[in-house]
Amino acid sequence: MTITGLTSEQLSFWEENGYLIIPDAISQEVVKELVDETAKLLNEFPLEGHPMTKFTTGDGDKHIGDDYFLNSNDKVRFFFEKGAFSSAGELIKPKAKAINKIGHALHTNSPLFAKMTMTPLNRSIAKSLGFRDPNVMQSMIICKQPEIGGAVLSHQDSTFLYTDPPSAIGFWYALEDTTPENGCLSFVPGSHKWAPIKKRLVRLPEGGTGFEDLKEGQANGVREKGGVEREGEGDGFVLGPVKKGSLVLIHGNVLHQSEKNLSPNSRWIYTFHVIEGEYPYDERNWLQPPEGGFSRLNDVELA
Ligand code: FE2
């Protein structure tokens, strides 16, 4: 793919559907480097001293409020799959097969992932999508481990990565082929035009995190664009299987999900999120900028 940004066909698909699949966005050589680096990270992180934090996004799950999670904004940390533990709480998988995700600052702390995030390609795509000052605010490797890789229920990314107005867009690179069997993404096409952001994840005064309903007057990504808000999941989910090396762009309002991975194969992907740096960033958001601020794609030289 060239670095001239999105074509008009790609942009019209994006505007219509709220997501876009770009095959072969990175070369297979780069994919292999990133896969090798991921394997190294998984094999080398120490279990000793790890708080064994598991990752889920459910409303009642308090553990995403712990310090290991909350202070991962400028670190490379490892979050476990729930299914990697027995009912007695013992790890029943080798550690490299037990991690749900690695986050949230690969784009600053891992030279290889930084190199593939802060690229002219990503900058030019962000510009095509309308960003004036695209800021990379977090990054993660999601492992979706064989047999235990948890489902991610229907959600909108701007709930977790809120700006006013909502501006988050996910850049999601497949490091392995994603299929219906290993838990590929699925989307409700067009839902970004009618599904409002209703709540957001904030730091609670008593510690930890919780969901807070958006207040009257806060932008929800639909109202301020003159759209008509609707309830429910619309016409339903459409599967989006992709080959490794593909880039999937995900609008912060679009409803998407992925099923549990019951297959014998992993489904490794690398994703980072971009927000508009010109909008004020709320100090109650769970994720706070590191010292020096978020990483600006505008700092990348366009080749
Ligand atoms: Fe998501």
Side-chain angles (χ1 to χ4, degrees), residues 64 69 158-160 162 199-203 209-212 284-287:
I64 61 168
F69 179 81
S158 283
T159 303
F160 301 93
Y162 186 74
K199 58 183 183 176
R200 65 187 186 117
L201 190 66
V202 295
R203 292 180 179 229
T209 58
F211 288 102
E212 179 182 272
R284 294 182 59 226
N285 284 344
W286 80 266
L287 185 95

Side-chain angles (χ1 to χ4, degrees), residues 69-287:
F69 179 81
L70 280 175
N71 298 327
S72 61
N73 62 333
D74 58 355
K75 300 180 186 71
V76 174
R77 288 188 161 171
F78 298 80
F79 302 94
F80 283 90
E81 280 289 354
K82 261 185 172 175
F85 295 84
S86 70
S87 52
E90 280 159 8
L91 199 59
I92 50 170
K93 293 275 180 183
K95 66 175 185 175
K97 300 253 183 212
I99 292 299
N100 168 296
K101 72 169 183 177
I102 308 172
H104 288 94
L106 292 143
H107 64 290
T108 54
N109 287 24
S110 157
L112 264 184
F113 281 98
K115 199 172 86 180
M116 76 83 58
T117 306
M118 306 305 286
T119 61
L121 171 67
N122 291 328
R123 179 181 171 182
S124 65
I125 290 173
K127 291 282 165 182
S128 291
L129 295 170
F131 284 102
R132 294 179 298 278
D133 181 14
N135 282 206
V136 178
M137 52 154 1
Q138 70 156 11
S139 52
M140 331 181 250
I141 298 163
I142 298 176
C143 302
K144 202 79 144 170
Q145 300 285 1
E147 295 159 0
I148 58 164
V152 178
L153 302 177
S154 175
H155 68 282
Q156 298 157 294
D157 289 348
S158 283
T159 303
F160 301 93
L161 307 168
Y162 186 74
T163 59
D164 185 359
S167 62
I169 290 178
F171 285 59
W172 193 102
Y173 282 95
L175 305 184
E176 298 181 304
D177 294 349
T178 76
T179 65
E181 290 72 36
N182 71 7
C184 68
L185 288 173
S186 58
F187 308 89
V188 180
S191 52
H192 65 303
K193 291 193 277 196
W194 55 260
I197 304 302
K198 291 183 170 167
K199 58 183 183 176
R200 65 187 186 117
L201 190 66
V202 295
R203 292 180 179 229
L204 298 171
E206 64 270 29
T209 58
F211 288 102
E212 179 182 272
D213 291 337
L214 290 195
K215 295 182 188 67
E216 201 55 41
Q218 279 183 295
N220 64 23
V222 175
R223 187 194 306 132
E224 70 275 15
K225 290 191 181 131
V228 178
E229 293 169 38
R230 273 163 55 194
E231 293 292 329
E233 311 261 81
D235 295 328
F237 285 88
V238 170
L239 287 169
V242 299
K243 293 283 178 202
K244 58 187 176 181
S246 302
L247 167 62
V248 186
L249 299 171
I250 307 171
H251 191 286
N253 273 69
V254 83
L255 292 162
H256 61 288
Q257 65 180 18
S258 64
E259 299 292 343
K260 197 168 176 178
N261 181 10
L262 297 171
S263 81
N265 307 310
S266 57
R267 193 221 66 178
W268 290 357
I269 67 98
Y270 171 66
T271 184
F272 61 88
H273 285 84
V274 174
I275 54 167
E276 177 52 59
E278 289 188 1
Y279 298 153
Y281 195 75
D282 194 306
E283 61 185 21
R284 294 182 59 226
N285 284 344
W286 80 266
L287 185 95

